[in-house]
Structures are given as structure tokens and as C-alpha cells.
């Protein structure tokens, strides 16, 4: 379960940002998670709750997750399409000269501090 490593990285980053801003407490963190990022939000939320109990600055901190849809771009026809239903083959022209445009991200979008 790589979610533990993801949580530790996010937690360390959030604590550093909070300390740089003289925060007393972090109320919430909003993450953007791509739908093909391999990070499972439900697992992440469970590990986050556990982690916040061991980091005083994050005690009772809420983790909010926003999903980023997976979108693929086709070099063959220049169109984009939903990745999940079609995979690597463009449904518009049949080309396999495609690349993932969005959907693999794990980003800290927002931190609410006191």
C-alpha cells in the first residue's frame, strides 16, 4: 500500500508550509487526485486519519479529495477523449499515438490553517 508513503509526503509538506506561515493548526487539506494515479482515495483517507493522530499540528485535520478525470490526447487527430473507457487507442481515429494529458496527478490544492 503506497498510500502510506503518499500520506507521509503530503503530511511533511503541509507541516512545513504551516510552520512557514506560523500556523497553530491545520484545519483541512484539499488534494487533487487523478483517476488513473493508482492512489486509492478511500485508503488515503484511512491512513490520513491515523497519521493526523501522531502529528499535533494536524490533529483532527480533514482531508478533502477532488478527482481529476483521466483525459488522453491523440497526436493522430488532435482530439482528446476519456481515457478510462478507451485506453490508449483513440476512439476518434484509431491511432495509438496518444498520451495522457490529465489524470495521473496527486497535488496539494489547498490548505486551511489557523
Amino acid at each position: 500500500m503506497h498510500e502510506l508513503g503518499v500520506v507521509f509526503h503530503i503530511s511533511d509538506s503541509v507541516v512545513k508550509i504551516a510552520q512557514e506561515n506560523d500556523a497553530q493548526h491545520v484545519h483541512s487539506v484539499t488534494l487533487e487526485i487523478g483517476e488513473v494515479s493508482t492512489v486509492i482515495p478511500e485508503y488515503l483517507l484511512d491512513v490520513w486519519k491515523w497519521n493526523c493522530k501522531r502529528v499535533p499540528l494536524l490533529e483532527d485535520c480533514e482531508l478533502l479529495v477532488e478527482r481529476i478525470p483521466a483525459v488522453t490526447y491523440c497526436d493522430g487527430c488532435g482530439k482528446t477523449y476519456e481515457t478510462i473507457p478507451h485506453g490508449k487507442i483513440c476512439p476518434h481515429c484509431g491511432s495509438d499515438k496518444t498520451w495522457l494529458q490529465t489524470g495521473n496527478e496527486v497535488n496539494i490544492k489547498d490548505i486551511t490553517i489557523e
Side-chain angles (χ1 to χ4, degrees), residues 12-27:
D12 291 346
S13 297
V14 168
V15 166
K16 181 179 178 189
I17 292 166
Q19 289 172 337
E20 288 171 355
N21 288 280
D22 297 321
Q24 302 301 311
H25 184 257
V26 179
H27 287 284

Side-chain angles (χ1 to χ4, degrees), residues 39-109:
V39 174
I40 301 170
E42 293 78 17
Y43 294 171
L44 198 71
L45 292 169
D46 285 342
V47 176
W48 180 260
K49 289 176 189 173
W50 169 81
N51 181 70
C52 288
K53 292 177 185 173
R54 55 181 278 287
V55 179
L57 196 59
L58 300 177
E59 190 174 344
D60 297 322
C61 179
E62 181 179 18
L63 182 65
L64 307 168
V65 174
E66 295 179 4
R67 295 296 277 182
I68 298 174
V71 176
T72 297
Y73 177 82
C74 176
D75 282 331
C77 67
K79 295 181 180 178
T80 60
Y81 62 90
E82 293 180 39
T83 305
I84 299 292
H86 304 288
K88 185 167 174 49
I89 305 301
C90 177
H92 304 290
C93 71
S95 174
D96 67 350
K97 298 199 178 354
T98 61
W99 52 274
L100 188 64
Q101 194 173 41
T102 64
N104 197 31
E105 304 89 335
V106 177
N107 301 318
I108 298 172
K109 179 181 178 182

Side-chain angles (χ1 to χ4, degrees), residues 2-3 6 31 33-44 67 105-106:
H2 67 280
E3 282 77 9
V6 172
L31 294 182
I33 300 178
E35 70 179 340
V36 294
S37 69
T38 73
V39 174
I40 301 170
E42 293 78 17
Y43 294 171
L44 198 71
R67 295 296 277 182
E105 304 89 335
V106 177

